[in-house]
Every structure is written in structure tokens, then in C-alpha cells.
Amino acid sequence: TAFTIELSDNGKGIDLSNIRKGGNGLRNMKNRMEKIGGKMDILVNKGTLLRFSIPLDKLQQSAMIIP
């Protein structure tokens, strides 16, 4: 079981092949999720969906939840 948050819009989406190399936002979010055992997915269709997911056992280990 995982804790998942999804953020979406209905805009034109993100051109993943044209993300700035000097940019830090999406890359930083992905690295932070991986660091605590989670993952971040970017899905582009008629808009963009960002999905952040972390297994509950990893969430507790990362001290994001106080037991």
C-alpha cells in the first residue's frame, strides 16, 4: 500500500524532450522522492499529471509520519 498524491491540469502539457537542462524543479522533486524511497511520474496527454507515490513503510521510515 502506498501514499499517493496526484496533481493535474488540463493545459497543453509538458514537452518532456524540451525540459531545460539548467532547470531544477522537476528534477529536484524526482530526486527528493527517490531519496526517501518513493517515486515521481510525469504523464502528459491533454495536460500534465504529476504523481508522487511512496510505500507506507518507507513513509514511516523517512520520519514524515510521527508514530
Side-chain angles (χ1 to χ4, degrees), residues 5-6 9 12 15-16 18 23-24 26-27 31 33 42-43 48 51 60 64 66-67:
I5 295 175
E6 293 184 350
D9 70 15
K12 64 180 185 175
D15 180 0
L16 295 175
N18 196 24
N24 194 26
L26 293 174
R27 185 178 3 258
N31 288 339
M33 286 300 294
I42 303 172
L43 300 130
T48 303
R51 180 181 299 135
Q60 291 171 341
M64 293 176 69
I66 299 171

Side-chain angles (χ1 to χ4, degrees), residues 7-62:
L7 303 170
S8 64
D9 70 15
N10 60 356
K12 64 180 185 175
I14 295 173
D15 180 0
L16 295 175
S17 66
N18 196 24
I19 293 178
R20 293 184 336 211
K21 292 188 183 216
N24 194 26
L26 293 174
R27 185 178 3 258
N28 189 34
M29 286 188 276
K30 183 176 175 76
N31 288 339
R32 285 174 180 240
M33 286 300 294
E34 290 173 354
K35 195 174 205 177
I36 61 171
K39 72 182 226 177
M40 181 184 111
D41 297 308
I42 303 172
L43 300 130
V44 179
N45 192 6
K46 293 180 180 176
T48 303
L49 172 74
L50 298 177
R51 180 181 299 135
F52 303 89
S53 183
I54 183 168
L56 291 179
D57 62 331
K58 298 287 184 183
L59 188 64
Q60 291 171 341
Q61 290 172 8
S62 70

